[in-house]
Amino acid sequence: MNINPEHIWDGALEKLKTWARINSPWAIHYNSGSCNGCDIEILATLTPRYDLERVGVKLQGSPRHADILICTGPVTLQSRERLKRIYEQMPEPKFVVAVGSCAISGGAFQGCYNIVGHVDAVIPVDVYIPGCPPRPEAIIDGVVKLLESLKKTDGRAQSTDDRLQNTDNRSQTADAGQ
Amino acid sequence: MEANKFIVPIGPQHPALKEPGHFEFTVDGEVVTNATIRLGYVHRGVERGTEDRTWVQNLYLIERICGICSHIHATAYALGVEKLAGVTAPPRAQAIRELFCELERIHSHLLWVGVAAHEAGFDALFMYSWRDRETVMDLLEGLSGNRVHYSCNLLGGVKFDIDEAQRDAILRGLDFLEQRTHHYLDVVTNDAAFLRRTRGVGMMTREQAIEYGAVGPVARASGVARDVRVDAPYLAYDQFPVNTIIDTAGDLEARFAVRVRELFESYRVIREILDKLPPGELAAKMPRKMPPGEAISRVEAPRGELFYFIKSNGGDKPERVKVRTPSICNFGSVGRLTIGHQLADAPMILAGIDPCFSCNDRVVVVSTK
């Protein structure tokens, strides 16, 4: 076995980072065209009855501090570039949670002229939480499932370039479909 | 750009509000000298979307214009379509609709008290009011099965009846909320630290409120008695009337006080409705195609007057649905009111009108130059 003394702590450090990441993920929230219903349920998730902070999730103001992007609503033409920019500003590794039927499929707004469609057509999504809007319990469940899945993958996500490539392919297909 | 001027851009993703909007505050030191607002990030094209859907399908699309005041949107639409068809919903349905409207107002105002307190940095009040708001969310869920989009309306009536158990649950919930609301009224009118953020901030005189076309609680806090529930009663508001709550101060404190005091009116009206709920059918029969014609309907949403114009060409789909939401009327005042205030007060003044971006996605630029 060949042990490189310079990288002897790398594995341990990686484990430590994963542990820290899973125990205190910071989230930001962006409404890309939602009706508000999901947004108030996300807020309700953070307030005393449901209290998402007890699983360590804290809502942050800036994408540069965030691990998780909680995204609601169908993506409108205006917010598409913004959503991409917010995603690109987040540091690696980053995860996206799509909340609500609209974020998953366009929901009730399918066919409206100013809708790009689902969040998946613009940025890669890790967890989908269905519902119109999902109950706070469902949002907590989705976030906890994301954290559980991080334990299995050692907290590493697929590299962003690959994922964006996949998304570009998807959105091109979506554009062609329209 | 002048040497001592600086533009602070905020948004569309920003920590203060949960919805996207872009603001540019020109500041001289800490004082705001000009404000530009850019909306439209949540413009989805709902009005055009209604023309591709049948009358019944639209009920569900229109409910999703706004997640906070979803019932009042659907009610306004249903009232308009019923007017077109020449059908009146049975009295019991009207009373149940009014009950939902008032429960929705309670949830919306409690939500707003929390969010506005959060903008002031008063997170304790935010957490308390949102904890208590869960009481009314439970009541709405108990009645309709959903916390946000209740889907209680049908064209011609309502889906849900109220039984004894639900009635008792509502009364118990209201007793708890009423007691808590007394506490909130005490906090927003007496807490010294909080008053320094609200008293005299964002002053709008009666004349200004009329000039800017303010509606709802914002206008009523400036002494303008404008309330569709009183001026042109719809649903069962002539049978179960509400009193207009007015404050003449016109500052943020008044906007807090008006909304909190409106809660007491809502509690009173709900108790009255439950006491004298008219018996009878829940829904009247509606045609699938509406006769050609035009109808308007005006209702009082939690944020002010909501206006619907509906035009039919005799088919099973509307030819045009025009929605005028209260937030858009109130937005005109925000840019003007922030001028001369500290930048730190700007989120408070903005929150003071209870902005709902998903409702008002029709404006592009409001400049006060």
Side-chain angles (χ1 to χ4, degrees):
Chain A
M1 205 166 89
N2 196 4
I3 296 174
N4 185 343
E6 282 187 12
H7 299 294
I8 196 159
W9 294 107
D10 280 7
L13 191 64
E14 211 46 57
K15 281 216 169 82
L16 186 70
K17 279 204 268 186
T18 307
W19 171 82
R21 191 167 292 136
I22 292 170
N23 279 291
S24 70
W26 283 10
I28 61 158
H29 164 225
Y30 185 66
N31 168 342
S32 60
S34 143
C35 73
N36 243 345
C38 296
D39 308 293
I40 56 174
E41 291 298 71
I42 287 171
L43 262 193
T45 314
L46 297 164
T47 49
R49 182 182 286 185
Y50 300 102
D51 200 8
L52 198 58
E53 272 186 40
R54 74 205 142 90
V55 291
V57 179
K58 190 173 184 302
L59 203 64
Q60 267 301 309
S62 167
R64 293 179 201 279
H65 298 163
D67 304 302
I68 302 177
L69 171 61
I70 299 177
C71 202
T72 57
V75 184
T76 63
L77 288 176
Q78 282 232 44
S79 57
R80 172 166 61 180
E81 292 310 313
R82 282 290 167 168
L83 185 62
K84 266 191 191 161
R85 206 158 120 188
I86 289 166
Y87 183 72
E88 280 158 10
Q89 282 175 348
M90 287 168 64
E92 296 274 355
K94 47 195 169 187
F95 307 95
V96 179
V97 178
V99 176
S101 306
C102 304
I104 294 174
S105 69
F109 303 112
Q110 262 177 11
C112 288
Y113 62 81
N114 214 31
I115 299 294
V116 181
H118 36 116
V119 174
D120 213 343
V122 182
I123 55 172
V125 177
D126 297 274
V127 175
Y128 300 87
I129 304 176
C132 186
R135 297 180 55 86
E137 289 94 331
I139 298 175
I140 296 174
D141 185 51
V143 173
V144 169
K145 283 217 169 94
L146 172 69
L147 299 181
E148 290 293 324
S149 76
L150 295 194
K151 280 184 193 158
K152 284 181 202 140
T153 60
D154 259 0
R156 274 190 288 269
Q158 199 187 349
S159 93
T160 313
D161 288 344
D162 290 354
R163 283 146 48 107
L164 278 177
Q165 187 64 46
N166 290 343
T167 310
D168 282 348
N169 292 343
R170 265 197 301 274
S171 58
Q172 272 164 14
T173 328
D175 287 346
Q178 283 176 351
Chain B
M1 198 168 72
E2 291 165 48
N4 57 350
K5 294 268 170 72
F6 188 77
I7 293 178
V8 183
I10 301 174
Q13 191 275 329
H14 46 94
L17 297 157
K18 296 301 154 220
E19 295 179 86
H22 181 74
F23 307 93
E24 278 175 10
F25 294 109
T26 311
V27 289
D28 184 0
E30 279 287 310
V31 180
V32 177
T33 55
N34 195 13
T36 307
I37 301 167
R38 184 187 159 178
L39 303 171
Y41 288 95
V42 268
H43 178 77
R44 292 152 297 185
V46 173
E47 284 180 11
R48 176 66 183 81
T50 58
E51 294 164 22
D52 297 332
R53 288 161 170 80
T54 64
W55 293 100
V56 176
Q57 287 170 337
N58 276 331
L59 206 50
Y60 302 93
L61 179 65
I62 273 166
E63 200 165 47
R64 280 158 185 78
I65 286 179
C66 175
I68 299 175
C69 39
S70 61
H71 172 72
I72 198 79
H73 273 279
T75 305
Y77 172 76
L79 285 174
V81 177
E82 282 158 19
K83 216 180 270 179
L84 269 179
V87 175
T88 316
R92 192 175 176 88
Q94 303 278 27
I96 290 175
R97 277 179 183 172
E98 182 178 335
L99 179 99
F100 267 89
C101 285
E102 293 305 318
L103 282 173
E104 187 174 74
R105 194 178 315 277
I106 294 170
H107 118 71
S108 177
H109 281 2
L110 283 175
L111 174 148
W112 175 81
V113 166
V115 172
H118 173 69
E119 304 301 341
F122 193 179
D123 269 6
L125 182 58
F126 168 51
M127 290 294 174
Y128 272 124
S129 68
W130 276 67
R131 184 199 66 180
D132 298 335
R133 179 178 161 271
E134 290 296 329
T135 314
V136 70
M137 299 304 276
D138 284 346
L139 297 179
L140 285 165
E141 191 186 358
L143 288 174
S144 72
N146 207 351
R147 283 165 55 91
V148 175
H149 295 300
Y150 327 111
S151 280
C152 128
N153 276 304
L154 291 170
L155 293 180
V158 291
K159 281 179 202 164
F160 307 113
D161 203 358
I162 294 173
D163 63 22
E164 278 301 304
Q166 285 165 334
R167 186 175 159 273
D168 293 345
I170 295 174
L171 290 174
R172 268 200 310 279
L174 290 189
D175 287 343
F176 169 72
L177 284 172
E178 186 155 28
Q179 174 208 339
R180 293 295 304 165
T181 311
H182 280 293
H183 171 67
Y184 295 138
L185 189 60
D186 182 40
V187 170
V188 300
T189 52
N190 289 324
D191 187 284
F194 193 54
L195 283 182
R196 291 192 61 177
R197 295 299 307 276
T198 58
R199 189 166 281 174
V201 176
M203 275 295 288
M204 179 157 68
T205 61
R206 190 170 188 279
E207 290 69 36
Q208 279 176 317
I210 293 169
E211 187 194 335
Y212 300 155
V215 293
V218 181
R220 294 199 281 275
S222 294
V224 184
R226 209 175 259 176
D227 189 332
V228 185
R229 291 175 293 170
V230 178
D231 301 341
Y234 53 98
L235 296 180
Y237 279 109
D238 46 358
Q239 220 179 324
F240 306 106
V242 290
N243 299 317
T244 315
I245 305 289
I246 289 186
D247 201 313
T248 47
D251 57 0
L252 273 175
E253 187 199 352
R255 283 170 218 159
F256 269 95
V258 161
R259 287 196 175 93
V260 173
R261 279 162 58 210
E262 273 183 14
L263 288 173
F264 293 117
E265 275 300 300
S266 295
Y267 301 147
R268 186 185 59 72
V269 167
I270 290 173
R271 288 203 183 100
E272 232 170 75
I273 295 172
L274 288 175
D275 198 32
K276 297 181 207 143
L277 196 60
E281 289 293 309
L282 285 182
K285 190 155 171 49
M286 286 285 281
R288 194 174 64 83
K289 292 180 176 175
M290 300 303 152
E294 298 175 353
I296 59 162
S297 71
R298 295 164 68 204
V299 294
E300 183 77 11
R303 286 161 184 73
E305 180 183 334
L306 175 66
F307 177 97
Y308 267 70
F309 166 82
I310 301 165
K311 188 176 178 192
S312 167
N313 55 8
D316 59 354
K317 292 171 185 168
E319 187 175 316
R320 175 85 172 102
V321 176
K322 163 79 190 140
V323 187
R324 184 173 176 271
T325 57
S327 293
I328 209 160
C329 307
N330 286 332
F331 242 108
S333 65
V334 172
R336 194 68 64 87
L337 291 185
T338 44
I339 292 172
H341 282 291
Q342 301 275 314
L343 184 60
D345 285 329
M348 276 293 276
I349 295 171
L350 178 61
I353 65 157
D354 199 357
C356 175
F357 292 77
S358 55
C359 284
N360 65 35
D361 49 12
R362 276 165 293 273
V363 150
V364 182
V365 175
V366 177
S367 177
T368 55
K369 270 176 198 157

